[in-house]
Amino acid sequence: MLPRRSSVARVGFAWQRPAAAQSTHSLGAFSPDSESVPKAKPKGPGGRKSYDWMLLFKMKMLQQLHNLSDEQTEYQVWDRLSFQRFLRLRLEESVADHTTLWLFRESLAQAKLTEKLFAAAFHTFLWDAGYAARTGQIINTSFVAVLRQQMYRKEREQVNQGKTPSAWREQIAKCRQKDTDACRTQKNDHSFFGYKNHINVDKRHKLIRQYVVTDAAVHDSQCMEALLDPENQGVQVFADIAYRSAEAEQMLCQQHSRIHEKAQRNRPLSKTQELTNTRAGHATPHGLSMPLAPWYSRVCGLCLRRF
């Protein structure tokens, strides 16, 4: 067992590396947007001061990086010295609870700052850190399944038309539990209900540069124009057969399209087309679906999801 001071010293020494120090200092690029975040009105005089905006934003980064819930994020910050070092918290300082994290996330959504932070500040942060997109882009889509909604036929018809059933208006608690934005779709004899994550990652660093979230019924190719990254200096665009169309090829006329060739009925792929698909797959070391493909490992009966 190491003494307390020795443990803190070891954690501090590990976080004094240049890469970690630069990453924590470079997060100041996100601070100008903090003024536009709506703040709760004080209920009365006195009380503790509100938590720093940058502290809550860093906690959200840790939450997304380690796939934690709000309660687990609060606990891990209390428990881990490395998290406290990243947040620049002393051992005696208080930590924002899970309710504060939830309110902060909702305030970002109400102020519509998520897109602004991702599109401007985060891209600037990656560029300054040396993660510029230069070697091409990969486009892919993944399903996000949600709980299937139990509805009557008339209620489902009204929801598909964008209306709220009259019975739900009288029962507010029931209406809150219904997800009216998710849709159902069919793929390879399998039915999916939920949403789709459409992303664009750069070929070298595998970092997400553009993203679009839609319901599951939207076809992959409909979001291709919104996913293309104009700042990517590479000319190659990799995608699977779902994005293959004449409109897509015309859209990529000034770039090098590496979209997989698609076979038609009674018209199988030629040897040249199969070789082209194989080379496009080998050009991305981990495959086209790797940025979105979680792999599972079981530890003591628990399923850990990692990306």
Side-chain angles (χ1 to χ4, degrees):
M1 295 292 293
L2 293 172
R4 183 69 174 177
R5 293 183 179 179
S6 179
S7 301
V8 175
R10 288 192 173 218
V11 174
F13 176 77
W15 275 90
Q16 285 177 359
R17 293 176 296 181
Q22 291 178 7
S23 62
T24 54
H25 287 296
S26 299
L27 289 175
F30 297 90
S31 58
D33 296 321
S34 61
E35 298 179 356
S36 55
V37 178
K39 299 181 181 179
K41 297 181 180 179
K43 298 180 180 179
R48 66 165 179 82
K49 296 182 180 180
S50 59
Y51 288 100
D52 182 53
W53 186 91
M54 184 56 62
L55 172 65
L56 297 176
F57 182 72
K58 287 183 178 181
M59 291 183 67
K60 294 301 297 181
M61 291 180 60
L62 294 174
Q63 181 182 22
Q64 296 297 327
L65 180 63
H66 297 276
N67 196 18
L68 302 173
S69 63
D70 293 339
E71 292 80 1
Q72 275 295 315
T73 303
E74 177 188 357
Y75 170 75
Q76 295 297 337
V77 172
W78 277 115
D79 186 65
R80 295 192 183 188
L81 291 175
S82 58
F83 280 20
Q84 296 179 19
R85 181 75 176 185
F86 177 73
L87 299 173
R88 298 185 180 276
L89 286 175
R90 294 190 295 269
L91 296 177
E92 66 275 8
E93 290 183 328
S94 62
V95 177
D97 58 1
H98 59 276
T99 305
T100 305
L101 286 177
W102 176 79
L103 292 174
F104 178 72
R105 181 172 62 249
E106 292 298 321
S107 64
L108 288 180
Q110 293 177 6
K112 298 182 180 180
L113 282 178
T114 305
E115 296 286 344
K116 187 176 181 180
L117 290 173
F118 185 85
F122 184 65
H123 285 180
T124 304
F125 168 71
L126 291 178
W127 185 275
D128 295 339
Y131 293 97
R134 294 192 178 96
T135 58
Q137 43 193 317
I138 304 173
I139 298 176
N140 208 343
T141 305
S142 175
F143 284 105
V144 179
V146 299
L147 294 177
R148 298 179 181 270
Q149 306 297 313
Q150 302 297 331
M151 307 180 191
Y152 295 104
R153 181 175 299 178
K154 294 182 178 180
E155 293 179 346
R156 187 172 300 279
E157 292 177 355
Q158 293 178 358
V159 170
N160 293 337
Q161 296 175 1
K163 301 178 181 179
T164 302
S166 57
W168 295 4
R169 299 175 184 175
E170 301 175 358
Q171 303 177 6
I172 302 178
K174 182 178 180 180
C175 186
R176 290 174 179 174
Q177 297 176 3
K178 296 296 184 180
D179 191 345
T180 59
D181 297 326
C183 290
R184 192 184 309 273
T185 188
Q186 194 84 9
K187 181 179 180 180
N188 298 333
D189 298 331
H190 294 281
S191 178
F192 296 92
F193 180 79
Y195 301 89
K196 276 185 178 181
N197 279 337
H198 311 260
I199 67 167
N200 179 325
V201 300
D202 62 286
K203 178 175 175 289
R204 180 179 179 182
H205 303 293
K206 303 299 185 297
L207 294 175
I208 298 177
R209 306 291 177 164
Q210 303 286 345
Y211 73 96
V212 177
V213 180
T214 63
D215 57 78
V218 176
H219 195 266
D220 299 355
S221 59
Q222 297 181 10
C223 300
M224 185 173 183
E225 184 176 1
L227 289 174
L228 291 176
D229 184 12
E231 297 182 0
N232 196 311
Q233 301 177 7
V235 296
Q236 297 181 339
V237 178
F238 298 86
D240 56 20
I241 58 177
Y243 296 90
R244 191 76 185 185
S245 64
E247 293 79 4
E249 295 300 322
Q250 184 179 2
M251 193 183 308
L252 301 176
C253 59
Q254 297 181 355
Q255 295 173 311
H256 186 194
S257 174
R258 301 295 299 274
I259 302 178
H260 282 191
E261 298 282 349
K262 184 178 181 180
Q264 304 294 334
R265 181 176 296 181
N266 300 326
R267 293 178 57 185
L269 294 178
S270 62
K271 296 295 182 179
T272 304
Q273 292 174 326
E274 292 180 356
L275 182 61
T276 302
N277 290 349
T278 303
R279 289 177 177 176
H282 286 289
T284 54
H286 301 290
L288 294 176
S289 59
M290 186 59 186
L292 279 172
W295 65 89
Y296 296 88
S297 61
R298 295 191 175 272
V299 180
C300 300
L302 299 177
C303 184
L304 303 179
R305 183 177 63 180
R306 301 175 297 176
F307 289 87

